Amino acid sequence: MKDSALEIIARHARDGARLREEFFRAQGSNLRDAALRAALCLAGGGKILLCGNGGSAADAQHLAAEFVNRFLMDRPALPAIALSTDTSALTAIGNDLDFSQVFARQVEALGRKGDLLLGISTSGNSANVLAALRAARSAGMFTVGLTGQGGGEMATLCHILLEAPSGHTPLIQELHIAAGHLFCQLTDYYLFENVTALTPYLQSDPEHKD
């Protein structure tokens, strides 16, 4: 049998490069706006909550750690919580209520008006992420979604939707972590390098109006 490994690698590299260019060209403004909203949230004393399943849970934890510790620059710790990390809460909620509520219940407990929720789902249809987004909207939080082509049900629940132009999960996840890194970098940029860009928002009412 012919060894096609190098062809698979080359095809994945081509597809990934093409999708990356397409994604950042189409979503650049949305990504900037999401980072601006995160900076406003943090500057106002709020926090960032993040959630997802499987690889998306790992991405949520990865990005939360970048905020709490540091990304590229030395700066104060920033409050961010990945909702997939508390196994006692996850198992209690899953056992007593339903797995679809494992994130929403934590949003109800931890989320406050002015906070930001980043929900990650490659399909856009993960029941527990959707429930978390609904809970966040009910609490007056700003919602951002990272998803795949079409956006699924997340499209109607996110103030800003960052949609990867693919239905192929591995490539979607590669775009999500690239976007997540820039989300962290640009949030730092607005908070610590270009504070003047925030001034007009901080002087007015920074809360999102539906």
Side-chain angles (χ1 to χ4, degrees):
M1 180 179 178
K2 178 185 176 182
D3 186 346
S4 300
L6 294 179
E7 294 175 12
I8 293 170
I9 292 169
R11 182 169 60 250
H12 184 88
R14 286 194 303 271
D15 290 345
R18 175 180 55 81
L19 286 168
R20 187 183 177 97
E21 289 285 343
E22 184 179 344
F23 175 75
F24 286 116
R25 183 170 57 249
Q27 298 293 334
S29 293
N30 280 339
L31 183 55
R32 177 202 59 205
D33 291 346
L36 181 61
R37 294 298 316 196
L40 287 167
C41 161
L42 295 166
K47 59 187 171 296
I48 298 173
L49 304 180
L50 307 93
C51 65
N53 297 285
S56 297
D59 286 346
Q61 292 166 212
H62 178 160
L63 298 176
E66 303 286 18
F67 282 111
V68 171
N69 183 31
R70 64 186 293 276
F71 186 60
L72 293 176
M73 66 169 65
D74 289 324
R75 43 82 170 149
L78 299 173
I81 303 169
L83 302 180
S84 54
T85 57
D86 187 339
T87 55
S88 293
L90 293 171
T91 53
I93 297 165
N95 184 62
D96 295 345
L97 299 176
D98 186 81
F99 188 70
S100 66
Q101 300 302 307
V102 293
F103 300 140
R105 192 69 168 169
Q106 293 183 78
V107 170
E108 291 174 19
L110 303 172
R112 298 292 181 269
K113 186 175 183 179
D115 288 348
L116 183 147
L117 175 69
L118 174 62
I120 309 174
S121 169
T122 58
S123 68
N125 293 314
S126 298
N128 52 11
V129 176
L130 296 175
L133 290 167
R134 293 188 188 100
R137 296 288 293 249
S138 295
M141 296 172 60
F142 194 86
T143 55
V144 178
L146 276 171
T147 187
Q149 194 166 44
E153 291 187 47
M154 284 177 65
T156 62
L157 297 172
C158 295
H159 293 110
I160 296 176
L161 187 71
L162 299 167
E163 178 186 343
S166 175
H168 186 50
T169 298
L171 290 177
I172 296 171
Q173 290 178 326
E174 290 176 20
L175 290 175
H176 282 183
I177 199 60
H181 279 158
L182 279 169
F183 178 63
C184 294
Q185 182 176 352
L186 292 173
T187 301
D188 282 357
Y189 166 75
Y190 283 122
L191 283 173
F192 302 106
E193 294 183 295
N194 190 9
V195 180
T196 56
L198 289 181
T199 302
Y201 301 93
L202 292 170
Q203 290 176 342
S204 61
D205 182 3
E207 294 178 2
H208 178 82
K209 300 295 190 295
D210 286 314

